[in-house]
């Protein structure tokens, strides 16, 4: 639970209008405690008309159907995975159980009394909330739609009836957070759409008083308690998308027209506020870019299909977001690993092995058309043809699209340097979005470096939100990124798990990205004022040069320069020379599917559990190799003690693949140590997805700041 200090710090980040709005919400919540709002009479014999056009299902490829059915059949067998935790109870799940801690959240308490941030009381709330987004039901409903097998539909009906019975309006943890209600509504819309043709569909939905009650209370909640002020980030997009989609597809209440209009207006405004002019999501967290784009596309298409006017400005934002995604992905269609990531999806109708980012780009191509500089995109997902079939007209977008692939997105401060198989992300942007910068990391001037899609210098990821403050702090700390720490402190000041009270200000000084020849980027930040950290990066062929300078008068304190490697990379440190090695499949693809791969990333939709990869790699909290593996600081893994095992790291993937190598020449003025899988304090970890972590090698150079030059040469 948050203490009084956190609430004071949180209050300090709010403006007067937000304080007034939150007071109004508190009054409403007190009123609802004593008297639930009363829904109006249900229209007699409502009809569901938001069906798929004829022939839409026939456009889904056979490969996409195969992937879908693998996941659906695992769900039918009762197996699912959420955030690295396998569940085998999914034939009849307990909607309040956290399988990670074994705790069960209170189901009968008034929703706003549930201490959902307290792991001691409810367990890991993400483990409880995620199945109740009902995205596993859209997967099962899609399996029914594409096969006609009624067993999938029957299981969907069992789960929905169970959930509605266990979660009466405003009771328990599933009524606390608007983002959960919004995504759940979107799932219900698509579940009903995909079950059309099943004889029990009308009885389950439009003829069902339990559904009527749930549907009205979900929409009334979202209209009344919409996020605002410093919380108007991806949450408000999910709230608007769910309300708009439900009011369009299930427009059977007297309030439906007003809900549609209000949600469409808000979605248009909030999409613009949450998106830079360049098209990148303003939270500067790549997975939230994907979430907001999925939600925005699904809601706008729903409105368009229902005949609700969608402003051209909404389509413009979605188009810019799509082009921005095409701009920043590497040659394996992976976006940066910037900021927070919690595996959140807006709409899932595909199998777990479907590549999320390829699917989003495929949808963008179908709706807006591809540009010549876009990377090739495989078009074999389920979602793209279904979304495209619902659009009644070609979306109008008045914005000018880039004629060539942008390398520098100025407003977001993101620069991508490319040379052959090399992809380098340079971070020179704002600390985060809005006054609290909830999903930001203290990562100013950090780098990511990939070689043919393999993380070489990696952003370690996120791992957790609630319940494990030490790990939350580490994964968003300055030391947890490929940048420079001074005086043992972060560049920006944290006020809690989703709150920053001081934001480092970064300025890009130079960007030179010609079509051919050396590229150069330079930026500086004031997070250590009066000292200034300036970094210059040059990419010339397969040689990367990184120069760190600390400017200003006075002593800035001791420096620590961190380099974090991807989990497939082994490191041999000899003095100030680090030799890197990793293995890839013979076709050039990364042979380790767990390394930030999009494959199997649909955890939010009930990812099929028990795969060979997941059994091999271990689970969250107990990664392969343990917390103190060879080479960790805790195990004495320093440069001078590696004679017995000179390769720090682990060899992953097929030994019959291709071995790739690189050499790092590290700044000689620093003392270099090797860390891997240390727990006290955390250091040397990589999180491929929410709730999962594994040891990975980190090099730390300690000493006095100065003119520090690092060379990374690929061979």
């Amino acid at each position: 639970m948050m203490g009084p200090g956190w609430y004071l710090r949180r209050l300090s980040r709010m403006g007067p209008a937000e304080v007034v709005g939150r007071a109004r919400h508190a009054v409403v919540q007190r009123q609802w405690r004593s008297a639930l709002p009363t829904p109006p009479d249900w229209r007699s014999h409502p009809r569901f008309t938001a069906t798929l056009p004829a022939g839409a299902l026939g456009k889904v490829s056979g490969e996409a159907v195969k992937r879908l059915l693998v996941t659906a059949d695992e769900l039918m067998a009762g197996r699912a995975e959420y955030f690295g935790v396998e569940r085998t109870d999914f034939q009849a799940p307990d909607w309040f159980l956290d399988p990670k801690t074994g705790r069960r959240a209170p189901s009968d308490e008034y929703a706003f009394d549930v201490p959902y941030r307290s792991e001691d009381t409810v367990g890991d709330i993400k483990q409880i909330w995620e199945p109740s987004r009902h995205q596993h039901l859209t997967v099962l409903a899609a399996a029914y739609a594409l096969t006609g097998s009624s067993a999938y539909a029957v299981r969907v009906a069992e789960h929905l009836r169970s959930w509605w019975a266990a979660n009466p309006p405003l009771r328990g943890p599933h009524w606390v957070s608007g983002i959960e209600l919004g995504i759940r509504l979107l799932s219900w819309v698509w579940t009903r759409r995909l079950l059309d043709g099943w004889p029990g569909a009308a009885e389950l939905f439009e003829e069902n008083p339990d559904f009527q009650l749930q549907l009205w209370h979900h929409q009334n909640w979202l209209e009344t308690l919409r996020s605002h002020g410093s919380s108007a980030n991806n949450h408000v997009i999910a709230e608007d998308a769910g309300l708009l989609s439900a009011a369009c597809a299930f427009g059977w209440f007297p309030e439906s027209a007003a809900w549609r209009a209000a949600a469409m207006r808000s979605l248009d405004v909030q999409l613009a506020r949450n998106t830079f002019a360049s098209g990148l999501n303003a939270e500067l967290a790549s997975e939230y870019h994907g979430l907001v784009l999925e939600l925005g596309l699904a809601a706008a298409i729903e409105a368009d299909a229902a005949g609700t006017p969608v402003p051209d400005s909404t389509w413009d934002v979605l188009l810019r977001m799509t082009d921005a995604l095409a701009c920043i992905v590497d040659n394996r269609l992976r976006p940066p690993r910037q900021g927070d990531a919690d595996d959140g999806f807006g709409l899932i109708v595909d199998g777990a092995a479907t590549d999320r980012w390829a699917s989003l780009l495929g949808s963008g191509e179908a709706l807006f058309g591809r540009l010549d500089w876009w990377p090739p995109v495989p078009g074999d997902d389920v979602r793209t043809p279904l979304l495209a079939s619902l659009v009644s007209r070609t979306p109008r977008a008045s914005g000018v699209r880039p004629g060539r692939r942008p390398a520098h997105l100025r407003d977001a401060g993101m620069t991508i340097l490319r040379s052959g198989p090399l992809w380098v992300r340079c971070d020179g942007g704002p600390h985060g979005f809005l006054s609290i910068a909830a999903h930001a990391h203290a990562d100013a001037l950090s780098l990511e470096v990939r070689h043919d899609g393999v993380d070489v210098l990696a952003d370690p990821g996120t791992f957790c939100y609630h319940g494990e403050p030490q790990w939350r702090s580490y994964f968003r700390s300055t030391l947890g990124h490929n940048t420079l720490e001074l005086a043992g402190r972060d560049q920006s000041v944290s006020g809690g798990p989703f709150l920053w009270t001081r934001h480092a200000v970064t300025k890009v000084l130079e960007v030179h990205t010609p079509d051919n020849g050396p590229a150069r980027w330079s930026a500086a930040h004031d997070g250590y004022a009066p000292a200034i950290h300036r970094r210059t990066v040059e990419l010339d062929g397969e040689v990367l040069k990184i120069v760190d300078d600390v400017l200003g008068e006075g002593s800035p304190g001791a420096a620590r320069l961190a380099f974090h490697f991807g989990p497939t990379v082994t490191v041999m440190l000899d003095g100030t020379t680090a030799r890197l090695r990793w293995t890839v499949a013979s076709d050039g693809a990364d042979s380790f599917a767990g390394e930030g791969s999009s494959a199997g990333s649909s955890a939010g939709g009930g990812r099929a559990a028990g795969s060979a990869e997941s059994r091999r790699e271990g689970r969250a909290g107990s990664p392969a190799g343990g917390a103190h593996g060879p080479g960790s600081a805790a195990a004495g893994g320093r440069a001078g003690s590696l004679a017995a095992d000179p390769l720090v790291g682990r060899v992953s993937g097929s030994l019959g693949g291709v071995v790739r190598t690189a050499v790092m020449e590290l700044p000689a003025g620093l003392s270099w140590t090797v860390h891997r899988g240390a727990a006290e304090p955390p250091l040397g970890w990589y999180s491929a997805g929410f709730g999962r972590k594994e040891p990975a090698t980190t090099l730390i150079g300690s000493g006095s700041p100065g003119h520090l030059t690092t060379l990374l040469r690929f061979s």
Side-chain angles (χ1 to χ4, degrees):
M1 291 293 290
M2 304 302 185
W6 180 87
Y7 285 100
L8 288 174
R9 292 190 296 272
R10 185 67 180 84
L11 181 63
S12 72
R13 310 304 293 176
M14 301 180 193
E18 182 176 358
V19 173
V20 171
R22 288 181 179 273
R24 183 182 66 81
H25 284 188
V27 170
V28 169
Q29 291 167 11
R30 283 198 297 270
Q31 292 172 342
W32 286 355
R33 180 199 301 276
S34 56
L36 286 180
T38 304
D41 292 335
W42 184 252
R43 179 190 298 179
S44 299
H45 307 296
R47 294 179 59 247
F48 181 78
T49 59
T51 56
L52 289 170
L57 294 169
K59 296 179 181 179
V60 178
S61 74
E63 283 301 312
V65 174
K66 286 180 183 178
R67 289 195 299 269
L68 169 68
L69 295 182
V70 168
T71 301
D73 289 344
E74 287 289 295
L75 289 167
M76 291 295 290
R79 295 187 292 270
E81 179 185 310
Y82 291 97
F83 310 131
V85 178
E86 294 180 1
R87 297 189 63 161
T88 58
D89 63 340
F90 243 59
Q91 289 183 334
D94 181 340
W95 303 108
F96 305 98
L97 176 67
D98 166 24
K100 188 172 78 172
T101 64
R103 295 187 179 95
R104 193 173 188 275
S107 59
D108 295 330
E109 284 190 23
Y110 178 57
F112 299 106
D113 290 341
V114 175
Y116 66 93
R117 294 189 181 98
S118 171
E119 187 167 297
D120 290 339
T121 304
V122 304
D124 184 342
I125 192 63
K126 291 281 290 178
Q127 289 285 348
I128 294 169
W129 276 346
E130 198 73 13
S132 288
R133 290 185 172 187
H134 290 174
Q135 293 175 323
H136 70 289
L137 299 185
T138 53
V139 169
L140 291 173
Y144 164 77
L146 289 162
T147 66
S149 173
S150 62
Y152 298 117
V154 170
R155 179 62 55 80
V156 170
E158 291 171 350
H159 279 208
L160 283 175
R161 293 185 190 279
S162 165
W163 196 93
W164 292 333
N167 290 276
L170 298 173
R171 310 301 296 182
H174 298 303
W175 291 88
V176 175
S177 176
I179 188 174
E180 305 305 317
L181 277 73
I183 292 177
R184 192 154 54 238
L185 280 178
L186 188 58
S187 295
W188 291 353
V189 168
W190 275 87
T191 297
R192 175 61 184 89
R193 171 175 289 131
L194 292 165
L195 290 185
D196 199 60
W198 179 55
E203 181 184 0
L204 179 63
F205 286 95
E206 50 264 37
E207 297 174 8
N208 186 351
D210 292 334
F211 174 63
Q212 299 165 14
L213 186 69
Q214 292 276 344
L215 179 63
W216 185 88
H217 275 285
H218 272 69
Q219 293 177 92
N220 183 68
W221 193 114
L222 293 174
E223 172 62 17
T224 307
L225 300 179
R226 180 181 283 113
S227 296
H228 60 286
S230 58
S231 294
N233 52 13
N234 63 86
H235 283 236
V236 76
I237 303 297
E239 293 161 7
D240 288 338
L243 179 59
L244 176 59
S245 297
C248 288
F250 303 125
W252 304 319
F253 295 106
E255 303 95 334
S256 294
W259 285 339
R260 279 195 300 271
M264 187 71 258
R265 285 194 303 270
S266 179
L267 182 66
D268 182 55
V269 169
Q270 297 300 336
L271 276 174
R273 289 178 178 171
N274 275 260
T275 308
F276 287 116
S278 63
L280 277 188
N281 179 256
E283 293 195 78
L284 293 173
S286 301
E287 280 210 6
Y288 285 102
H289 183 100
L291 173 65
V292 168
L293 181 54
E294 286 168 352
L295 291 166
L297 286 173
I301 289 170
E302 197 69 49
D304 188 75
T308 297
V310 179
D312 288 352
S313 51
T314 296
W315 291 119
D316 280 345
V317 172
L318 297 172
L319 170 62
R320 284 189 281 115
M321 292 186 73
T322 304
D323 280 340
L325 178 61
C327 164
I328 64 175
V329 295
D330 64 20
N331 62 343
R332 300 291 174 181
L333 300 185
R334 289 178 57 213
R337 285 167 51 87
Q338 184 180 24
D340 272 348
D342 71 347
D343 297 354
F345 285 71
L347 173 65
I348 301 176
V349 291
D350 276 280
T354 297
D355 187 301
R356 174 191 198 169
W357 307 104
S359 173
L360 266 174
L361 289 173
S363 297
E365 181 176 340
L367 293 170
F368 304 120
R370 62 174 289 114
L371 296 173
D372 291 341
W373 54 261
W374 271 34
V377 177
D380 62 347
D381 64 321
V382 175
R383 185 174 59 190
T384 290
L386 300 189
L387 285 177
S389 73
L390 291 173
V391 178
S392 62
R393 62 178 177 84
T394 301
R396 292 192 298 271
S398 58
V400 178
R401 302 178 72 180
R404 61 189 292 270
R405 190 176 206 170
H408 176 55
L409 304 179
R410 181 186 56 79
D411 46 12
M414 183 183 293
T415 304
I416 307 293
L417 308 181
R418 301 174 191 268
S419 177
L422 277 175
W423 174 99
V424 180
R425 174 181 68 88
C426 306
D427 183 353
H431 174 62
F433 183 50
L434 301 175
S435 62
I436 63 173
H439 291 296
H441 290 187
D443 57 357
L445 308 192
S446 64
L447 301 178
E448 280 186 87
V449 180
R450 298 178 190 161
H451 188 282
D452 202 15
V454 176
D455 285 325
V456 179
L457 292 181
D459 184 304
T462 298
F463 177 56
C464 67
Y465 281 170
H466 302 284
E468 299 179 88
Q470 185 182 32
W471 291 101
R472 174 67 171 151
S473 295
Y474 167 69
F475 275 99
R476 61 181 200 149
S477 70
T478 296
L479 191 64
H481 294 83
N482 296 311
T483 188
L484 183 74
E485 178 202 75
L486 289 179
R489 60 189 178 92
D490 289 337
Q491 310 149 338
S492 295
V493 178
S494 172
F498 298 97
L499 173 63
W500 296 90
T501 56
R502 183 189 181 279
H503 303 180
V505 176
T506 305
K507 182 179 181 180
V508 175
L509 305 173
E510 178 187 4
V511 176
H512 180 64
T513 55
D515 290 336
N516 296 292
R520 179 182 173 92
W521 169 89
S522 181
H525 75 81
D526 69 352
Y528 304 122
I532 298 295
H533 174 207
R534 183 181 67 193
R535 169 168 277 185
T536 301
V537 176
E538 296 178 353
L539 179 62
D540 186 0
E542 293 205 335
V543 178
L544 183 70
K545 182 180 180 181
I546 307 164
V547 178
D548 290 290
D549 292 296
V550 177
L551 311 174
E553 298 180 357
S555 174
R560 288 196 290 179
L561 180 60
F563 291 115
H564 301 266
F565 298 90
T568 68
V569 178
T570 62
V571 182
M572 182 175 68
L573 181 64
D574 181 9
T576 58
T577 300
R579 302 186 186 280
L580 318 180
R581 189 180 74 183
W582 62 98
T583 305
V584 297
S586 56
D587 65 353
D590 176 14
S591 63
F592 173 59
E595 183 186 290
S597 167
S598 295
S601 62
S602 300
R607 181 157 85 95
S611 67
E613 177 218 47
S614 64
R615 288 192 295 267
R616 181 173 67 250
E617 291 305 319
R619 291 292 127 219
S622 56
H628 299 289
S632 72
R638 297 188 178 274
S641 61
L642 299 178
D645 184 9
L647 290 177
V648 179
R650 62 182 175 82
V651 178
S652 303
S654 170
L655 294 177
V658 177
V659 174
R660 301 283 170 84
T661 62
V663 176
M664 284 188 81
E665 296 294 341
L666 302 162
L670 301 178
S671 175
W672 289 91
T673 55
V674 184
H675 307 263
R676 178 176 168 80
E680 295 293 342
L683 189 59
W685 295 92
Y686 180 95
S687 174
F690 196 83
R692 292 174 286 157
K693 68 179 187 297
E694 61 182 302
T697 303
T698 295
L699 297 180
I700 300 292
S702 303
S704 299
H707 185 75
L708 306 174
T709 300
T710 304
L711 285 176
L712 176 56
R713 305 175 188 272
F714 291 85
S715 56

